[in-house]
Amino acid sequence: VQLQASGGGLVQAGGSLRLSCAASGSIFSINDMGWYRQAPGKQRELVAAISSGGSTNYADSVKGRFTISRDIAKKTVYLYLQMNSLKPEDTAVYYCNAQIRVLTLMDYWGKGTLVTVSS
């Protein structure tokens, strides 16, 4: 099983970025998926989550600005995070996470992708 994240970069405040994460491999099913972020000197925090049924949950700091979604194509599950009206405090390494059942249900993490928002 692999989770591959992409889409980070440098953007000015007020700009937008779209993060993507592809989950592939011998996957039986996927439950919740989410995006986390970790800023320098801070703990990793949940940004947004989406259940297998499509229910979403957002951190208060990103509500109204970020949108999480998921899709399936060619045996690959995709997780997206559309980030609008970005602020310098959104600067962090963003990680995708998925609860994936191969034989048992386990947490999988993608490598982080850096988002830098300049003021």
Side-chain angles (χ1 to χ4, degrees):
V1 174
Q2 277 192 327
L3 287 185
Q4 202 143 17
S6 61
L10 174 63
V11 64
Q12 286 190 329
S16 298
L17 279 176
R18 189 190 196 208
L19 303 184
S20 300
C21 178
S24 60
S26 301
I27 297 171
F28 181 74
S29 64
I30 299 181
N31 289 4
D32 293 350
M33 302 182 79
W35 288 97
Y36 291 72
R37 67 186 180 188
Q38 187 165 19
K42 295 189 176 181
Q43 288 190 326
R44 190 174 296 190
E45 63 174 356
L46 175 67
V47 176
I50 184 167
S51 71
S52 57
S55 298
T56 57
N57 181 40
Y58 295 92
D60 287 343
S61 60
V62 307
K63 280 180 183 175
R65 300 188 298 121
F66 290 11
T67 303
I68 190 171
S69 61
R70 60 195 278 175
D71 196 6
I72 299 176
K74 296 182 180 178
K75 298 184 180 180
T76 298
V77 178
Y78 295 92
L79 178 69
Y80 302 103
L81 186 68
Q82 177 66 43
M83 304 185 294
N84 299 327
S85 303
L86 282 160
K87 304 176 181 180
E89 50 264 44
D90 294 318
T91 295
V93 177
Y94 285 70
Y95 299 89
C96 60
N97 168 268
Q99 297 173 348
I100 297 175
R101 183 178 300 278
V102 179
L103 295 177
T104 59
L105 190 64
M106 292 178 61
D107 253 357
Y108 288 84
W109 292 88
K111 289 184 180 179
T113 184
L114 177 62
V115 172
T116 304
V117 184
S118 63
S119 56

